[in-house]
Amino acid sequence: MEPRKALDPFDNRIDKQWYQRRVVITAGIIMVTCACLLLSLISDYFWYLWLVIPAFALYKLWSSVIKPWIFAPAPEVPQQAGGNEPPRKGMRQTKQRKQASGVGSGQPMSAFNLR
């Protein structure tokens, strides 16, 4: 029985590119670690070279996630067909409430208004 193609994680190009980027990043981390270990034989200050790894991670996080999220342009609001008219939704209900409460009917307000 042949496996389904949908379950193959390396089937399409995007997954292969993602895998290749991770391999390159991992190789870079291993090289920085080897450099730190060898150079730390000369001086203890070379251990600070390991700070390059989280600095690079923060740079990637800023440039690919945080910066586009913060500085994204505002979405455009579609214009209504009527122009600058306010929406008429609920006008009938507002009118019925005014009539029921007696406001604007020309009669004085009364607590005993039985309308």
Side-chain angles (χ1 to χ4, degrees):
M1 185 173 191
E2 196 165 318
R4 294 182 356 186
K5 287 190 173 189
L7 297 177
D8 186 11
F10 306 112
D11 188 35
N12 61 20
R13 187 179 306 171
I14 296 172
D15 288 335
K16 287 181 183 179
Q17 290 174 356
W18 179 85
Y19 176 73
Q20 290 171 350
R21 283 194 308 264
R22 296 299 167 243
V23 168
V24 169
I25 289 173
T26 305
I29 291 173
I30 291 171
M31 285 190 275
V32 168
T33 302
C34 290
C36 282
L37 290 173
L38 291 175
L39 292 173
S40 67
L41 296 173
I42 300 170
S43 173
D44 286 339
Y45 291 109
F46 284 109
W47 287 112
Y48 291 117
L49 187 62
W50 254 343
L51 293 176
V52 168
I53 296 171
F56 180 75
L58 287 174
Y59 166 74
K60 282 300 208 182
L61 182 68
W62 170 259
S63 63
S64 63
V65 177
I66 299 172
K67 184 179 174 185
W69 180 59
I70 292 175
F71 297 111
E76 294 184 16
V77 178
Q79 293 291 332
Q80 293 180 358
N84 292 335
E85 294 179 13
R88 300 191 71 135
K89 184 178 177 184
M91 292 292 284
R92 181 181 294 174
Q93 292 174 355
T94 307
K95 197 174 198 180
Q96 288 174 351
R97 281 189 203 127
K98 281 184 180 179
Q99 288 176 353
S101 66
V103 176
S105 63
Q107 297 176 356
M109 290 294 292
S110 170
F112 301 107
N113 194 359
L114 300 176
R115 272 203 202 187

